Amino acid sequence: MNPRHEDGSVRHDWTVPEIEALHDLALLELVGRANAVHRRRHDPTRIRKARLLSVKTGGCPEDCAYCPQSAHHRGVDLTRDRLMDPASVLAQAARAKAAGAERFCMGAAWREARDGAEFDAVVAMVEGVRALGLEACVTLGMLKAHQATRLAAAGLTAYNHNLDTGPDFYDRIVTTRRYEDRLATLATVREAGIGLCCGGIIGMGEAMADRAGLLAVLAGLTPHPESVPINALVPVAGTPLADRPRLDPLDVVRMVATARLVLPDAVLRLSAGRAQLGREAQILCFLAGANSVFSGDTLLTTPNAEPDDDAALFAALAPRTSSAGTGHAPALRPPPSRPARAVRKSTAR
């Protein structure tokens, strides 16, 4: 193996076969290499917390096969909500900060951001979140240069725009937007001086070459994305991927470890599907290089880890004291065994 694969140096010329070779190493060897890079480039004891809120839910014109918010998937049981008002969003941001979140992320189910009162409201949300002392991230779909400039002026920390999967598998998942459109939005965000939050989803039926292809595209960006969400598919009833089998948690561990080697400086965020991993698999992910989670019991419209489960997780990670040596962590709830139902939200006022 080329030494550059192991020393954590930043590369932009990773090939799909190279990444596949790393991914397919013996698991303990892969995790060991990833952990060594992680400890050189990051504080291995720091797990950042972020909170994700759907500020406009449902009715999206895109046809993403995994997404319950798509207007194409009429079998999904989901309440469509208008854009929340900034005051309500900022109240939730304040609660998230009090619960330990460092970043507050806001998602709107739009194909693209449009100028007008709603975009003005999002800008006000960003300004308010930053005034609270939190990092601010939004995901609004495709973005124009002048809109990115406004968001940058408002103090936006990062713009989330996931690639979802590798370029060769993409049209099996999305047909209403080209891969090149996503890359163009990433370039627009970069030109405005905003950080990138860009990752993908595994467990949608893709081959390992497609997972490697996603990482190769991310590594080819200059600079690498500062933040990379790693999502495990949460099958939702009524979507085309509702019957996909549950992903093996060790597949997530392998993806995290490989991403850490390929993207040594990125914050790797355990995102959708974390509730299905269980405590021990999550800890393996942290060992392999994940250093952020989303807190709260909902991620946009799908279930997330319960607060009690997260409390048990972080208690297990904390230093042990002599008085705690004989204690037992609370039992974690078992992961769901059926396709999730989209989480219903009360209508925003």
Side-chain angles (χ1 to χ4, degrees), residues 175-191:
T175 67
T176 52
R177 189 191 313 183
R178 301 177 306 155
Y179 210 76
E180 291 76 15
D181 293 330
R182 292 184 182 265
L183 294 173
T185 295
L186 297 180
T188 297
V189 170
R190 273 286 187 229
E191 288 168 6

Side-chain angles (χ1 to χ4, degrees), residues 56-261:
K56 185 272 176 186
T57 303
C60 181
E62 304 283 11
D63 67 353
C64 307
Y66 55 82
C67 185
Q69 301 203 61
S70 171
H72 294 258
H73 310 327
R74 300 186 183 278
V76 175
D77 182 17
L78 180 70
T79 301
R80 296 185 182 186
D81 289 342
R82 296 168 297 174
L83 186 71
M84 296 175 65
D85 65 90
S88 298
V89 172
L90 296 180
Q92 294 212 33
R95 288 194 289 272
K97 181 180 180 181
E102 301 177 42
R103 173 174 290 200
F104 193 74
C105 308
M106 296 159 280
W110 292 331
R111 170 177 167 77
E112 59 188 341
R114 296 180 179 178
D115 295 324
E118 289 191 325
F119 188 73
D120 294 343
V122 171
V123 171
M125 293 174 195
V126 171
E127 292 173 339
V129 169
R130 295 295 284 145
L132 289 171
L134 288 164
E135 296 177 352
C137 179
V138 297
T139 178
L140 312 173
M142 294 183 288
L143 202 62
K144 296 181 177 66
H146 71 277
Q147 295 167 332
T149 298
R150 282 196 66 191
L151 291 170
L156 187 67
T157 309
Y159 193 85
N160 170 255
H161 199 64
N162 289 335
L163 292 174
D164 290 345
T165 188
D168 293 339
F169 190 69
Y170 180 78
D171 61 6
R172 301 274 299 276
I173 301 300
V174 185
T175 67
T176 52
R177 189 191 313 183
R178 301 177 306 155
Y179 210 76
E180 291 76 15
D181 293 330
R182 292 184 182 265
L183 294 173
T185 295
L186 297 180
T188 297
V189 170
R190 273 286 187 229
E191 288 168 6
I194 300 169
L196 284 188
C197 179
C198 183
I201 307 168
I202 62 173
M204 298 188 294
E206 74 283 349
M208 180 49 221
D210 298 309
R211 298 179 189 179
L214 168 64
L215 292 177
V217 172
L218 294 175
L221 299 175
T222 304
H224 291 169
E226 291 83 4
S227 173
V228 177
I230 296 177
N231 299 275
L233 176 70
V234 178
V236 175
T239 66
L241 299 182
D243 295 328
R244 288 296 310 166
R246 184 188 303 165
L247 195 65
D248 185 334
L250 294 182
D251 283 353
V252 182
V253 175
R254 282 188 176 275
M255 188 66 176
V256 168
T258 308
R260 174 51 69 221
L261 292 169

Side-chain angles (χ1 to χ4, degrees), residues 15-34:
T15 67
V16 170
E18 284 179 320
I19 296 172
E20 285 189 278
L22 285 177
H23 177 275
D24 292 341
L25 288 169
L27 180 61
L28 297 183
E29 175 67 13
L30 173 62
V31 171
R33 293 188 188 189

